[in-house]
Structures are given as structure tokens and as C-alpha cells.
Amino acid sequence: MAGTLSTTWGYKVQEAYKAGSPRTTLKLPSSRTSITVETLSDHEAVATGVTDCIPRS
């Protein structure tokens, strides 16, 4: 990827990017959310946000 994450907006790194696992997971306990950024290739990344504060039906 060309850029880097310059701030975490209060999120703490739970799982850092490492060779063989191109994924970074950030958590913000106060809002009960986590964000996972996964690098699929040199030109693709996917960000997924999850919260447990909204009940599933």
C-alpha cells in the first residue's frame, strides 16, 4: 500500500499487520467497536467494522 495509517482515532491496535497475515485490527472498547483492515493486494484493501452494541435479530 502506498500510504500508512497516521492516526488511530483512539482505537488500540489489537492485531498488527505482519508478514503472512496482511491484516490489522483496531478496537475501541468505549464504543464496543472494532475495525479490521485487510490488504488483499498491492492495490486493494478492505475495511470492515463490527460492533456488539446493536443486537442481532
Side-chain angles (χ1 to χ4, degrees), residues 11-29:
Y11 283 78
K12 302 294 182 196
V13 176
Q14 181 73 27
E15 178 186 349
Y17 179 96
K18 59 187 174 224
S21 178
R23 175 182 301 167
T24 300
T25 302
L26 306 162
K27 292 194 175 210
L28 185 59

Side-chain angles (χ1 to χ4, degrees), residues 4 20 41 50-51 53 57:
T4 60
S41 70
V50 177
T51 182
C53 65
S57 297

